[in-house]
Structure formats: C-alpha cells, structure tokens
Amino acid sequence: MAQNFELETLNMRLKDPELASLDLHQRIQRALRGLILDAALGPGMKLPASRALAKSLAVSRDTVESAYVQLQRDGFIQRREGSGSYVCENIGAQLRGAARQRRRVQEQPQAVRQPGSGLSRRGRGIFDQGGVADQQAVRAFATGLPETRNFALATWERLQRQVLKDYRGNVLLHGDPQGAEPLRKAIAAYLNLERGAKVRPEQILVLSSTRQALFLCAQLLADAGQPILMENPGYFGARKAFEAAELLINPIDVDEQGIRSDLLQADRSGARCVYVTPSHQYPTGVTLSLERRLELIRWAAEHDKWIIEDDYDSEFHYQGLPTACVQGLDPYQRTLYVGTFSKTLYPGLRMGYMALPEELLPVFSAARSIMDGHTPQVLQLTLARFMEEGHYNAHVRAMRKLYAERRQAMLEAIERHLSGIVRALPPPGGLQIPCLLEPGWSEALTQQRAARVGIQLPGLSRLYAGEHQQQGWLLGYAALSSHEIDTAMARLAQALNTP
C-alpha cells in the first residue's frame, strides 16, 4: 500500500448507504472521489496500485481499474506510466474540501438555511403561497379524480402500437409546439359537435394541462402587479397560477346564475381579463345562464377584455343538455377556451388544450415552445386515433351514466350518515358535490376528526376571497364505487361524532 493511504477510511466510505444501489466499480470510484473532495486524499498523494487495492478489497482487478479510469477521465487523478496513480495537483483549492465546506454550512444555525432564501421576488412569492397538491392515489372524496379502473386500456395500447408502427422514428423527434395536426383536428371536430364551439384546427394549442394554459394566460395577458377578475368562490389552482405571475386577484361574486355580470360592469380595477367556469362553476356547480353568457360576451367586446373559459368537466352533465360553451356564442373572438383530458380520460395522461382567438395563437405558441417545447407525440397521436374511432365519445357516455349513479349514491349516503352535520347542494353536473356545514360545526374541527380515520376533507372556505367564507366541504365521488362511497361515509360519520 502507498504511504498515508488509509484503507479503513475507504472501507467506511464504501459502506455509505447512498452508494448501496451502485455497481461495485462505481461505489469504489465515488468513495475515492469523496475522499479527494474531503481532502482526506491530498494533492499529489499516490494511490495503491490497482492490483494491490483489488486484493485488499477482495474484488477483481478489473473492478478497481474501471474505477481508476473514470477518476482519470473526470480529472481527479493522474496516471503515470511506470510510476502509478496520483491525486491531481491542479484540482484547486476551490474544489478540495468542498464537501467539508458543505458540512460546515449544514452545521450552522437553521436560520441561515431557511427554505426559499436566495430566490427572486417571484420565486419567493410562489414558495410563500405554496403549491397545489394533486391526489396521487384514489382516496375517499378526493376532488377532480375520474374513474380509471374502467378505462379501455387494451384499446389504448393497441392504438399506441399502431402509431409506433405507422410513424416509426418520427414520433421520437420534437413535435410541433402547437400540437400534432391529427389531434388538433380531432379536438376541433369534437368541440364543434359536442360543445357548440366555432373553432378550426389551426386555433387549437395542445398543452400538458389546464394549469399550463392558465399559467400562459397569466404571463401573456397581464403584467405583474395588474389585476385579473376571478369568480368568488373560485378554483384554487387558477388562483395559484395567477398569483405565481404576481397578478392581483379581484374577486367577482357568484350567485345561482353564475358570475354576476352587474359586478363585472361596475368593475373599475383596470383588469384586462376574467377567469370563469361557466358550465359547472367551481366549486358551487351552478351553470352560467344563457343571459349571463351573452352579457359576459358583450362586456368583453365593449371593454376590450379577454374571457378565459375553463370548461374542465362540462361533459358530465346529468340534468338536461349541457349549455353551449361561451366560445361558440362569442362572435368577437374574445374568448380563450381551456379544456382537459385529465377529467374525461385519466390524470396521468397530462394533456389539455386551448382554443384560441386567431390573433393570440402565434404568441401563445411561441411562449409554449419556450416553456416545454411540445407534448409527447406518441400520446398525442394515440389520443387522436382514440377520438377518431369513436372510443372517446363512447367512454364519455359510459362515464356520464356511471357518475350519475355515483352522484346519487353520494347524496343518499350523505342523507343517511351525515344528517344534521352537513347539507348537500347537488349541482346539475360535475365530479363533486359542495356541502355546507350545519350550525355548530366548524370546517377545521371536521377536517381534524376526519383525518384521524385517514379521510382528507377538501374544505370550501379556502376557495373564497374576503371575509364571507362558507364553511363546508367539496366531496368528490367519481373515482369511488357506490359501496366505497357508503363505507367511507359511515367511517366519516363515526369519526365526526367521536370527540
């Protein structure tokens, strides 16, 4: 062994749990690199010959040789023919002891290492406001989760294989930032037929999600510090997207007919756009009346405003026919229509879209190309065929019937188990039911008791702006069977009645 080389120190480093998943030669290489960075192996120190080190570690010589070769490539050691392997002299003081410096920083008082320090003003604001937690597993009463166990996965896989066979290597390349043409055609055809839209494929922008669409709107339609109008109560994810862009939320109250157009007319904030969920207002579920829709369109045209129409779950309407979307009624092209497949198909697909006024399409496409380039082509082309062959419409029809049954099961379970605690306000459609707490019950208390039995109750109050906040819950039912709904409701009732 070379003088001053501590085999015991190397052996201790090799036992580091962080190295356990690596191949043996990688573990040796990382361990030696760490000793060099910690200055435990100083500049110019001679390392053991590969044969000698292999014998000491009870490994093959090739394993040690592979580790030495990588260390040499990375510039940590020099290998001199006929002399041996040495720690590089020119690593530099700024690199030697870097790990030791990191430990010193970590050992300093916690106040020095506060999360979010060193961020931009916008970054600090995003951190302070917190993120939006998505449900990653099917749990009782999670909102916005569709049924995925009944999805036609075999059909989807067959279509994906066809796409890979037909397009071959082309789908492995970068795609059009605006979206694959077959999918844009399928989306446009669907919107025109099923939602009463008036849109051409050239106006469709395929995105990864509704939130990406809202983030683009926030970045492109208003400057930091400017106001944006939003329904009150309103969608939490939209508010987060707007706040992340440093916009000022100006709430507009909602009544039984949707957003109040009289308050829009009275607004003097200077806001250039309004965010609405007209088909099923989030979270109340009310439908924006036709009269209000026309008033909204006239207001936008007369005052040069933009309407951001989030049509997130309009397919699931259970009482009569769904009302035509605002975009299809708007002859002035002031409406940006936002749709998603996360609610109609499955959340993991991560695909949404916008139907844009023609004048906005170039700038939104350019901004999207900067943000993340494009949505994976394989998924886009598979979805296009899923829609072209009628599977999408068939799936939506089947889910509409299933969700109507589960909605009824939820209402019956609330009445059976929670009478006197909450009052359900069943909307005409959607995937969740708002419930108002009866006098004597607080939202925080019910959430605390529900958490004891593993139930997370989405509260209503956080969706309100201002002092008037309704106390209650927003209960999702789409992803639960009737039996699962009743079982979870009984468990919830028992938890709420147990001090």
Side-chain angles (χ1 to χ4, degrees), residues 131-165:
V132 179
D134 284 319
Q135 194 72 47
Q136 296 181 343
V138 177
R139 295 181 180 175
F141 315 130
T143 58
L145 267 186
E147 172 59 67
T148 57
R149 291 168 289 192
N150 293 349
F151 181 68
L153 193 57
T155 300
W156 184 270
E157 290 174 339
R158 174 177 60 82
L159 295 175
Q160 184 165 288
R161 287 195 299 270
Q162 288 181 4
V163 165
L164 291 170
K165 179 181 178 181

Side-chain angles (χ1 to χ4, degrees), residues 169-326:
N170 290 332
V171 296
L172 306 181
L173 301 174
H174 289 290
D176 185 342
Q178 189 177 338
E181 184 177 9
L183 180 57
R184 289 190 282 111
K185 288 182 177 179
I187 292 173
Y190 171 78
L191 292 179
N192 293 334
L193 179 63
E194 300 292 339
R195 297 297 300 121
K198 294 180 181 178
V199 60
R200 297 180 296 106
E202 292 77 14
Q203 294 175 257
I204 300 296
L205 177 64
V206 179
L207 300 168
S208 63
S209 65
T210 294
R211 288 185 205 156
Q212 187 180 50
L214 298 178
F215 189 79
L216 285 171
C217 289
Q219 294 290 331
L220 301 177
L221 301 182
D223 292 317
Q226 289 186 335
I228 184 170
L229 306 182
M230 183 175 172
E231 299 165 325
N232 183 40
Y235 174 45
F236 190 67
R239 190 169 80 223
K240 287 294 184 182
F242 300 148
E243 289 175 346
E246 300 184 86
L247 305 188
L248 304 178
I249 308 297
N250 192 17
I252 303 294
D253 288 345
V254 169
D255 61 19
E256 66 278 359
Q257 296 187 62
I259 192 168
R260 289 179 52 182
S261 49
D262 61 321
L263 296 180
L264 284 176
Q265 293 288 354
D267 177 70
R268 296 295 182 269
S269 67
R272 300 191 59 235
C273 49
V274 59
Y275 169 81
V276 292
T277 52
S279 293
H280 301 137
Q281 200 279 327
Y282 195 95
T284 66
V286 302
T287 298
L288 187 64
S289 65
L290 178 59
E291 181 182 2
R292 293 269 181 94
R293 290 174 187 241
L294 297 177
E295 289 174 351
L296 174 64
I297 291 168
R298 285 196 296 270
W299 169 82
E302 291 171 0
H303 297 89
D304 195 27
K305 311 289 187 183
W306 296 111
I307 302 168
I308 304 171
E309 178 183 13
D310 187 349
D311 210 32
Y312 62 100
D313 66 359
S314 62
E315 289 85 355
F316 305 119
H317 200 83
Y318 315 119
Q319 299 175 6
L321 295 175
T323 309
C325 65
V326 172

Side-chain angles (χ1 to χ4, degrees), residues 283-285 407 411 414 423-428 432-436 460 470:
T284 66
R407 173 179 178 270
L411 292 172
I414 292 173
R423 176 168 52 92
L425 303 176
Q432 50 266 328
I433 297 175
C435 300
L436 298 183
L460 276 179
Q470 293 277 21

